[in-house]
Each structure stands twice: as C-alpha cells, then as structure tokens.
Amino acid sequence: ALGLSSKSLGITTTSSSATIAGLASTCITVSGHGQGGKYCVTKQGLLSYSGATPTSYFELTSYTRSPSGRLFALPAGATMVTLPGGATP
C-alpha cells in the first residue's frame, strides 16, 4: 500500500441509506475522473442496486424468503448437462 488516500487520487466516496424493494440498504457512491457508480447492499447481504448511469443499472424490485418452486423449473425442451467436478485441495 502506498498510503495514499482515495481523495488524493481524485476519487470521492459518499455513503447513504435507501429502501429498495422494501428492504433497508446501505449504499456507497464512488466518483472520480469523470466516472462513477452507486452500489447498495441490503442488511441481508443482497445486492439491491448497482449502476453507473440513470439508464444503465441493476435494481432489486422485489424480494421473498420463500420463492415458488416454479421459478426454478426448467423450460420445456431444456437439456440437463452435468458439469465436471471441482478441483481437489
């Protein structure tokens, strides 16, 4: 680490709170060198907002702790493929 603060590099950050999809979220806005973005996370640890422009962003619109199994059903004609196992330590 160089010990330089982000401010000395021309980067600013601000934190805020928001309610997104009915969930309390903690947000951080980062900007510098003509670019930036806003990122929010709920208290449950879910990404609730991520965006760099008003027209290009992700926003959580609803949340349920008990989603319907239909949401995870494969579409008609889908083919299942088994992936190879992971690496061993």
Side-chain angles (χ1 to χ4, degrees), residues 6-36:
S6 60
K7 198 162 203 101
S8 68
L9 296 173
I11 299 169
T12 59
T13 60
T14 55
S15 62
S16 60
S17 298
T19 300
I20 301 172
L23 300 173
S25 297
T26 300
C27 304
I28 185 166
T29 302
V30 180
S31 60
H33 308 288
Q35 297 182 352

Side-chain angles (χ1 to χ4, degrees), residues 5-73:
S5 73
S6 60
K7 198 162 203 101
S8 68
L9 296 173
I11 299 169
T12 59
T13 60
T14 55
S15 62
S16 60
S17 298
T19 300
I20 301 172
L23 300 173
S25 297
T26 300
C27 304
I28 185 166
T29 302
V30 180
S31 60
H33 308 288
Q35 297 182 352
K38 180 177 179 179
Y39 309 93
C40 302
V41 177
T42 68
K43 291 182 180 185
Q44 293 85 355
L46 301 170
L47 178 66
S48 56
Y49 184 90
S50 174
T53 70
T55 58
S56 178
Y57 63 92
F58 161 86
E59 183 173 358
L60 184 67
T61 58
S62 67
Y63 172 78
T64 180
R65 294 181 80 183
S66 303
S68 166
R70 291 187 321 246
L71 295 172
F72 303 98

